[in-house]
Amino acid sequence: MSALKEKLETDLSAAMKARDEVRTRTLRMALTAVKNEEVAGKKSRELSDDDVVKVLAREAKKRREAATAFEDAGRGEQARAERDEGAVLEDYLPAQLGDAELAALVADAIAETGADGPRAMGQVMKVVNPKVAGRAEGGRVAAEVKRQLAGE
């Protein structure tokens, strides 16, 4: 079992004992998502810590998107609940890259691939994505790659 999954389970039982409803609800949901990922596909498998981080990042993104949707619909209470769950998940994710760090990684990848112009976006993304895994959202990375390839 991955160390991160064990930590989630340990923290879940601690949250249940502390009667922390938000943390309990969020960790249960996260563990369910991890277990669903383990049994997805043709045969079940044990997830590595990196795989668990990807699942948690996906769940955190869902929470951010749901909070925005609830906020836009004038449902502040549900938006707050989604943001609270997102905050719990953020505790288990690697620190997010700052704009300067992301720009530097993209610049290095462009130099490494010798990419020039917007058509080379795919090859730059292939080099950058493993370096930022879990530390920056794909849309943010793509926007930075596009900006630098456009020569801005």
Side-chain angles (χ1 to χ4, degrees):
M1 181 185 298
S2 81
L4 184 54
K5 184 178 172 189
E6 276 183 42
K7 180 169 175 37
L8 289 168
E9 289 175 349
T10 305
D11 290 356
L12 173 60
S13 56
M16 289 167 73
K17 287 176 186 165
R19 300 195 189 290
D20 183 341
E21 288 181 30
V22 172
R23 198 166 198 79
T24 300
R25 175 179 74 224
T26 305
L27 293 176
R28 274 191 179 137
M29 172 274 310
L31 282 165
T32 299
V34 168
K35 287 174 183 156
N36 286 342
E37 186 73 19
E38 287 176 336
V39 297
K42 295 199 184 304
K43 66 180 208 181
S44 63
R45 61 195 167 90
E46 189 72 33
L47 296 183
S48 68
D49 276 351
D50 287 344
D51 293 332
V52 173
V53 165
K54 286 178 187 164
V55 171
L56 294 179
R58 192 170 53 229
E59 292 299 318
K61 182 180 179 189
K62 285 181 191 174
R63 297 299 161 284
R64 282 192 298 276
E65 290 171 352
T68 302
F70 281 132
E71 198 68 52
D72 292 346
R75 298 171 70 184
E77 188 129 337
Q78 285 98 337
R80 189 170 29 265
E82 293 290 338
R83 274 195 291 279
D84 291 346
E85 288 180 8
V88 171
L89 291 172
E90 295 292 331
D91 293 345
Y92 298 93
L93 294 172
Q96 294 293 297
L97 289 172
D99 290 340
E101 295 168 300
L102 180 58
L105 283 172
V106 170
D108 290 347
I110 290 172
E112 186 180 319
T113 60
D116 187 34
R119 288 188 176 176
M121 187 163 172
Q123 68 188 91
V124 175
M125 289 296 287
K126 269 187 215 156
V127 173
V128 172
N129 276 334
K131 294 178 182 176
V132 301
R135 299 185 301 153
E137 251 180 41
R140 202 172 139 224
V141 176
E144 181 61 26
V145 171
K146 196 178 289 181
R147 186 186 71 74
Q148 288 194 27
L149 286 175
E152 291 178 19

